[in-house]
Amino acid sequence: MNVSCISDHVHYIGLNDRTIHKFEAMWPMPYGVSYNSYLVIGEDKIAVIDGVEAGHAFRHIDHILEITGGRHPDYLVINHMEPDHSGALELLRKTFPAMEIVGNAQTLAMIKGYYGIENGLRQIKDGESIDLGGGVGMDFYLTPMVHWPETMMTYIAADRLLFSGDAFGCFGALCGAVVDKDMDTSHYFPEMVRYYSNIVGKYGQPVQMALKKLSGLEIETICPTHGPVWHDQLSDVVDLYDKLSRYEPLDNGVTIVYGSMYGNTEVLAEEAATALASAGVKNISIHNAAVSDLSYILADVFRHKGLIIASPTYSNSLFPPVRAVMEALENRGMKNRVVGLIGSHTWAQQALKAMTASVEATSMTLVGEPVNLKHAPGADKRAECRVMATALAEAL
Ligand code: FEO
């Protein structure tokens, strides 16, 4: 079996990165990441679709030449300019000087700005096509803000195949196979939720617009820029992206995010968890915001319908690790979640005030009476916590 062969005219020429610690210098990468790139071979012309990160340039060029038998590609299509896909561009251009770089107006402006490349550029518009010969053509669809302004997708009608850029992508390097039908994909789905919530989460509406725009195309295979190529599980992946981009929870579980300097707020977070479990909630994820990485907290908030946030007051504001979570949720315009709050303080009750304002800035819904703790929790505050958590469980 030739695992690089995706369809009649498309080959995989991407690369895995298992040395990266943090994607975008901030998101943990326990399973690495793949930079997916593809070759489309028509009767007359050859196109590279999407590039790779700078450190992988030489092996990328080797892959191209191996599959083309030494022939230079005619086009490089850039569906997304972010440097994890364009970092190797200058070396690619030097190696294949006649290769035209294809993108929309915004892409080409970024190519000039990032790499100083001004010649051999071909600007395409929404709905335009380039013929590769033998009935193979590339149709371009602009899908801005998924998740940069220049993002677009390329469709190969002959193979019913879509190059989707970051959309439908996920963290996790590929382990031998490339297409979903040839691997166990179970560990890629949680990594897709994490990828979406971390990277694309702010852009739910543009994702919805892109899904609508492409809904008329016959698509059998989706080739994203990260993670497996989707064929057999294509409808599962599209459904998941549709749900995530509508901010629809994936289950009726609850995420509890708390900060606690000396354990008092933590006692209430645990009390709330016990009350949720007693009320029959089975899927509860608890994060100490000062210990869990924001990446995993966001993934759980996108996954579960319920959210309880507990924070002490710190320097007349929120405990900073909890504030980072609240800001990330505001930034992503989080909605369709029911939220319970626990605030604590010693002399100035700022945490509850700040959390309430932050939740009200989103479209999430406060449920139950917020718990306001002064000093250490006694039986009364623990009871209030159970009442709030039970109200949340009923709202799921
Ligand atoms: Fe994979 Fe938005 O870059």
Side-chain angles (χ1 to χ4, degrees):
M1 180 170 65
N2 180 353
V3 295
S4 85
C5 195
I6 307 290
S7 63
D8 288 348
H9 306 96
V10 177
H11 286 260
Y12 182 78
I13 50 169
L15 289 153
N16 291 308
D17 187 344
R18 292 190 180 82
T19 57
I20 187 171
H21 286 286
K22 299 230 167 158
F23 191 76
E24 292 184 346
M26 64 184 294
W27 309 112
M29 288 288 93
Y31 314 113
V33 68
S34 67
Y35 308 116
N36 294 348
S37 174
Y38 307 89
L39 264 186
V40 187
I41 302 178
E43 218 164 270
D44 307 321
K45 306 276 189 188
I46 295 175
V48 176
I49 311 282
D50 300 310
V52 296
E53 187 270 339
H56 297 77
F58 288 106
R59 279 196 286 156
H60 186 224
I61 289 164
D62 285 347
H63 282 190
I64 294 170
L65 292 173
E66 192 182 320
I67 291 174
T68 64
R71 190 177 145 186
H72 289 196
D74 302 279
Y75 303 110
L76 168 65
V77 175
I78 300 191
N79 286 315
H80 180 26
M81 240 301 295
E82 195 163 3
D84 54 331
H85 309 296
S86 69
L89 194 55
E90 284 169 284
L91 191 63
L92 214 55
R93 167 43 73 85
K94 279 185 183 138
T95 310
F96 307 125
M99 178 185 71
E100 271 192 313
I101 298 174
V102 179
N104 58 67
Q106 303 221 48
T107 324
L108 302 190
M110 289 178 188
I111 287 171
K112 287 177 200 165
Y114 270 80
Y115 305 111
I117 296 175
E118 304 211 9
N119 299 313
L121 304 175
R122 176 154 172 177
Q123 185 177 325
I124 53 88
K125 293 197 180 78
D126 190 34
E128 264 188 47
S129 305
I130 292 180
D131 187 15
L132 300 177
V136 182
M138 305 185 289
D139 306 329
F140 305 106
Y141 293 90
L142 271 55
T143 52
M145 300 315 301
V146 184
H147 65 117
W148 275 26
E150 90 301 358
T151 45
M152 63 182 206
M153 299 189 190
T154 301
Y155 180 62
I156 308 293
D159 291 10
R160 297 190 178 97
L161 179 149
L162 181 74
F163 298 106
S164 61
D166 280 351
F168 312 110
C170 63
F171 295 139
L174 297 173
C175 301
V178 175
V179 185
D180 61 357
K181 65 184 168 60
D182 302 320
M183 65 174 84
D184 174 359
T185 57
S186 51
H187 86 276
Y188 289 104
F189 280 89
E191 286 297 273
M192 183 173 285
V193 177
R194 192 163 71 90
Y195 179 85
Y196 182 89
S197 62
N198 294 185
I199 310 288
V200 193
K202 183 178 171 58
Y203 306 106
Q205 202 188 357
V207 171
Q208 279 293 309
M209 285 167 66
L211 288 172
K212 206 170 285 175
K213 185 169 187 170
L214 302 169
S215 61
L217 297 178
E218 261 190 85
I219 299 172
E220 287 177 0
T221 307
I222 287 182
C223 298
T225 44
H226 301 289
V229 165
W230 299 105
H231 183 276
D232 284 12
Q233 290 163 284
L234 187 144
S235 65
D236 294 340
V237 169
V238 173
D239 283 353
L240 179 58
Y241 250 74
D242 183 39
K243 272 190 181 149
L244 291 169
S245 56
R246 283 190 282 114
Y247 298 88
E248 199 176 288
L250 305 181
D251 64 37
N252 280 349
V254 177
T255 312
I256 300 179
V257 183
Y258 73 91
S260 189
M261 288 177 278
Y262 301 107
N264 292 304
T265 314
E266 183 178 51
V267 165
L268 295 187
E270 295 281 6
E271 191 76 36
T274 305
L276 288 170
S278 301
V281 180
K282 291 198 164 53
N283 209 350
I284 303 169
S285 307
I286 305 184
H287 292 281
N288 179 336
V291 177
S292 290
D293 195 283
L294 177 64
S295 174
Y296 294 92
I297 298 174
L298 288 175
D300 278 336
V301 175
F302 269 76
R303 187 172 288 121
H304 302 319
K305 183 174 181 185
L307 172 63
I308 291 176
I309 310 165
S311 176
T313 299
Y314 190 94
S315 293
N316 212 29
S317 179
L318 276 176
F319 188 54
V322 176
R323 188 168 57 208
V325 175
M326 302 298 302
E327 285 173 357
L329 296 179
E330 276 188 58
N331 174 270
R332 284 159 179 74
M334 205 63 203
K335 53 183 82 160
N336 301 335
R337 299 297 183 276
V338 287
V339 183
L341 295 179
I342 303 167
S344 63
H345 63 282
T346 300
W347 69 95
Q349 31 177 316
Q350 286 303 317
L352 197 51
K353 213 182 284 178
M355 284 190 291
T356 305
S358 181
V359 170
E360 285 173 355
T362 68
S363 298
M364 300 191 289
T365 307
L366 281 171
V367 170
E369 195 60 39
V371 180
N372 189 9
L373 169 68
K374 183 172 184 177
H375 302 161
D380 56 338
K381 291 298 163 186
R382 294 173 67 152
E384 282 181 31
C385 247
R386 289 198 297 276
V387 170
M388 181 272 287
T390 306
L392 190 93
E394 282 166 7
L396 291 173

Short mmCIF file of all heavy atoms in Angstrom, two decimals, residues 83 95 111 115 120-121 133 156 163 175 183 197-198 207 320 325 371:
data_model
loop_
_atom_site.label_atom_id
_atom_site.label_comp_id
_atom_site.label_asym_id
_atom_site.label_seq_id
_atom_site.Cartn_x
_atom_site.Cartn_y
_atom_site.Cartn_z
N PRO A 83 3.00 31.01 9.29
CA PRO A 83 4.33 30.44 9.02
C PRO A 83 4.50 28.94 9.30
O PRO A 83 5.47 28.35 8.83
CB PRO A 83 5.25 31.29 9.90
CG PRO A 83 4.57 32.61 9.96
CD PRO A 83 3.11 32.27 10.05
N THR A 95 14.53 26.77 -4.85
CA THR A 95 14.72 25.44 -5.45
C THR A 95 13.93 25.31 -6.75
O THR A 95 14.38 24.69 -7.71
CB THR A 95 14.28 24.34 -4.45
OG1 THR A 95 14.91 24.59 -3.21
CG2 THR A 95 14.66 22.96 -4.94
N ILE A 111 2.73 37.54 1.73
CA ILE A 111 3.96 36.93 1.21
C ILE A 111 5.04 38.00 0.98
O ILE A 111 6.21 37.81 1.32
CB ILE A 111 3.67 36.15 -0.10
CG1 ILE A 111 2.91 34.88 0.24
CG2 ILE A 111 4.96 35.83 -0.85
CD1 ILE A 111 2.39 34.14 -0.96
N TYR A 115 8.12 37.65 3.46
CA TYR A 115 9.27 37.02 2.80
C TYR A 115 9.89 37.90 1.71
O TYR A 115 10.88 37.49 1.10
CB TYR A 115 8.86 35.66 2.21
CG TYR A 115 8.24 34.75 3.25
CD1 TYR A 115 6.88 34.43 3.22
CD2 TYR A 115 9.01 34.25 4.30
CE1 TYR A 115 6.31 33.62 4.19
CE2 TYR A 115 8.44 33.44 5.28
CZ TYR A 115 7.09 33.14 5.22
OH TYR A 115 6.54 32.34 6.20
N GLY A 120 6.57 36.27 -9.62
CA GLY A 120 6.11 34.88 -9.77
C GLY A 120 4.90 34.60 -8.90
O GLY A 120 4.70 33.46 -8.46
N LEU A 121 4.10 35.65 -8.65
CA LEU A 121 2.90 35.48 -7.84
C LEU A 121 1.67 35.46 -8.76
O LEU A 121 1.63 36.22 -9.73
CB LEU A 121 2.76 36.62 -6.83
CG LEU A 121 3.95 36.85 -5.88
CD1 LEU A 121 3.73 38.09 -5.03
CD2 LEU A 121 4.19 35.63 -5.01
N GLY A 133 -4.77 20.13 -16.44
CA GLY A 133 -4.75 19.21 -17.59
C GLY A 133 -5.34 17.85 -17.26
O GLY A 133 -5.33 17.40 -16.11
N ILE A 156 -10.73 19.97 -5.61
CA ILE A 156 -10.39 19.21 -6.82
C ILE A 156 -11.63 18.40 -7.19
O ILE A 156 -11.90 17.34 -6.60
CB ILE A 156 -9.19 18.25 -6.56
CG1 ILE A 156 -8.01 19.00 -5.94
CG2 ILE A 156 -8.77 17.52 -7.85
CD1 ILE A 156 -7.34 20.01 -6.81
N PHE A 163 -9.06 20.68 -0.08
CA PHE A 163 -7.96 21.09 0.78
C PHE A 163 -8.51 22.22 1.65
O PHE A 163 -8.83 23.30 1.15
CB PHE A 163 -6.77 21.57 -0.05
CG PHE A 163 -6.20 20.51 -0.94
CD1 PHE A 163 -6.42 20.53 -2.32
CD2 PHE A 163 -5.45 19.47 -0.40
CE1 PHE A 163 -5.90 19.54 -3.13
CE2 PHE A 163 -4.94 18.47 -1.21
CZ PHE A 163 -5.16 18.51 -2.58
N CYS A 175 1.08 8.85 12.48
CA CYS A 175 1.89 7.69 12.87
C CYS A 175 1.86 6.64 11.76
O CYS A 175 1.22 5.59 11.90
CB CYS A 175 1.38 7.13 14.19
SG CYS A 175 1.42 8.33 15.52
N MET A 183 -6.12 3.95 9.95
CA MET A 183 -5.58 4.13 11.31
C MET A 183 -6.71 4.12 12.33
O MET A 183 -7.89 4.22 11.99
CB MET A 183 -4.84 5.48 11.38
CG MET A 183 -5.77 6.68 11.19
SD MET A 183 -4.95 8.26 11.44
CE MET A 183 -4.22 8.53 9.83
N SER A 197 -10.68 24.66 20.08
CA SER A 197 -10.93 25.60 21.19
C SER A 197 -9.75 26.54 21.40
O SER A 197 -9.93 27.70 21.76
CB SER A 197 -11.23 24.83 22.48
OG SER A 197 -10.12 24.05 22.86
N ASN A 198 -8.54 26.04 21.14
CA ASN A 198 -7.34 26.86 21.35
C ASN A 198 -7.11 27.83 20.20
O ASN A 198 -6.83 29.01 20.41
CB ASN A 198 -6.08 25.98 21.46
CG ASN A 198 -6.03 25.09 22.69
OD1 ASN A 198 -5.05 24.43 22.92
ND2 ASN A 198 -7.09 25.04 23.49
N VAL A 207 -16.40 30.11 10.53
CA VAL A 207 -16.42 28.66 10.24
C VAL A 207 -17.80 28.27 9.73
O VAL A 207 -17.93 27.54 8.74
CB VAL A 207 -16.04 27.83 11.49
CG1 VAL A 207 -16.26 26.34 11.24
CG2 VAL A 207 -14.59 28.08 11.89
N PRO A 320 -4.93 35.59 39.30
CA PRO A 320 -4.49 35.69 37.89
C PRO A 320 -4.70 34.46 37.01
O PRO A 320 -5.15 34.61 35.87
CB PRO A 320 -3.01 36.06 38.02
CG PRO A 320 -2.96 36.84 39.31
CD PRO A 320 -3.94 36.15 40.24
N VAL A 325 -8.24 32.46 32.32
CA VAL A 325 -9.31 31.61 31.75
C VAL A 325 -10.50 32.47 31.36
O VAL A 325 -11.06 32.33 30.26
CB VAL A 325 -9.75 30.52 32.77
CG1 VAL A 325 -10.93 29.73 32.24
CG2 VAL A 325 -8.58 29.59 33.10
N VAL A 371 -21.91 31.76 45.22
CA VAL A 371 -21.44 31.56 46.60
C VAL A 371 -20.36 32.59 46.89
O VAL A 371 -19.41 32.73 46.13
CB VAL A 371 -20.89 30.13 46.78
CG1 VAL A 371 -20.40 29.92 48.20
CG2 VAL A 371 -21.97 29.11 46.42
#
